[in-house]
Amino acid sequence: MVEKIYVTYNDVHKLCQEAGPKILSTFQPQLMIAIGGGGYVPARILRSFLKQEGGPNIPIQAIGLSLYESLPHITGSTEVEVPGTKVTRTQWLDLSSLGQMENLVGKNILIVDEVDDTRTTLDYAVKELEKDVEAARIRMGLPESEKTKFGIWVLHNKDKAKKGSLPTDMMEDGRYMAARTVGDVWICYPWEATDIDEHDRLAAEARKNGNPTSA
Ligand code: 5GP
């Protein structure tokens, strides 16, 4: 059976609190892009810890991605979709509030998600966002030095073989950040719980037994 770990809202809040100063010292994001639905709550909490005195709140944009792979249906040629390797966009950047894509050129943009599992989703998000902003940079006739910088912050990275990959310079420059690295376990986040009291009880029980979820 896959081991489950239960993460509470307080755990998430504290991981964001811990990450804020680190992110500010290494990356100073000007915009966050939350990958839905798991990235929404962490991005909003993180924003409170990225706010600098007298400075503006960092805007949060939401994109929706879901992961499917097509498999031949067992009984015939119809294809069924199961979680896997093909990412579909369900929502993309809202240019009515961002203005044109040109506004993102040269900026530091932090992509936020809850978990990096096979890395397929993050791989897709970075490649597609880079494609859009690079096209805008080229339209503007700006040099490579004006490239938009993307960073990633996730609550949990699973230490396992990844199907997706991220740009080497992002990894080398420390622009990939995970609050915690865990094994190949199943993480239960509080926003998915239908019974939050039971969820918190299971988290407390694990903690009592020496399995703290956020350590
Ligand atoms: P990927 O495999 O592309 O890195 O992750 C795809 C998505 O699968 C994640 O954004 C998340 O929604 C979901 N996922 C992967 N592992 C877990 C997990 O341990 N717990 C939960 N709740 N969702 C997960």
Side-chain angles (χ1 to χ4, degrees), residues 29-88:
Q30 292 151 296
L31 172 75
M32 275 192 274
I33 297 179
I35 303 181
Y40 297 163
V41 177
R44 173 57 190 90
I45 300 174
L46 185 62
R47 186 172 81 167
S48 298
F49 296 105
L50 294 178
K51 171 104 168 67
Q52 289 180 295
E53 231 183 281
N57 264 318
I58 298 171
I60 303 175
Q61 280 269 317
I63 60 173
L65 298 175
S66 53
L67 194 56
Y68 294 102
E69 79 183 0
S70 300
L71 284 183
H73 193 275
I74 221 131
T75 55
S77 58
T78 332
E79 299 214 315
V80 292
E81 293 198 309
V82 295
T85 52
K86 188 170 163 276
V87 178
T88 349

Side-chain angles (χ1 to χ4, degrees), residues 56-190:
N57 264 318
I58 298 171
I60 303 175
Q61 280 269 317
I63 60 173
L65 298 175
S66 53
L67 194 56
Y68 294 102
E69 79 183 0
S70 300
L71 284 183
H73 193 275
I74 221 131
T75 55
S77 58
T78 332
E79 299 214 315
V80 292
E81 293 198 309
V82 295
T85 52
K86 188 170 163 276
V87 178
T88 349
R89 289 184 189 193
T90 55
Q91 187 186 339
W92 203 242
L93 299 175
D94 174 18
L95 293 181
S96 64
S97 70
L98 272 179
Q100 48 185 358
M101 198 54 74
E102 276 72 0
N103 290 343
L104 298 188
V105 174
K107 297 263 169 31
N108 284 358
I109 300 179
L110 187 67
I111 299 168
V112 177
D113 207 353
E114 87 280 47
V115 56
D116 174 1
D117 181 19
T118 63
R119 200 162 279 175
T120 311
T121 305
L122 289 171
D123 174 322
Y124 178 92
V126 172
K127 286 202 175 86
E128 291 297 297
L129 289 166
E130 264 183 347
K131 217 189 305 174
D132 284 359
V133 292
E134 268 299 275
R137 181 182 66 83
I138 288 159
R139 281 199 298 275
M140 293 162 84
L142 291 172
E144 292 231 340
S145 56
E146 291 296 314
K147 268 186 168 185
T148 301
K149 276 204 178 109
F150 287 97
I152 289 176
W153 184 77
V154 291
L155 287 169
H156 297 100
N157 173 33
K158 294 191 197 174
D159 186 14
K160 63 190 275 187
K162 303 290 186 184
K163 290 186 192 160
S165 60
L166 295 170
T168 315
D169 60 334
M170 175 190 281
M171 304 307 271
E172 285 175 352
D173 297 352
R175 283 183 277 119
Y176 172 87
M177 295 163 274
R180 290 292 181 274
T181 300
V182 296
D184 196 5
V185 296
W186 186 256
I187 307 157
C188 303
Y189 291 99

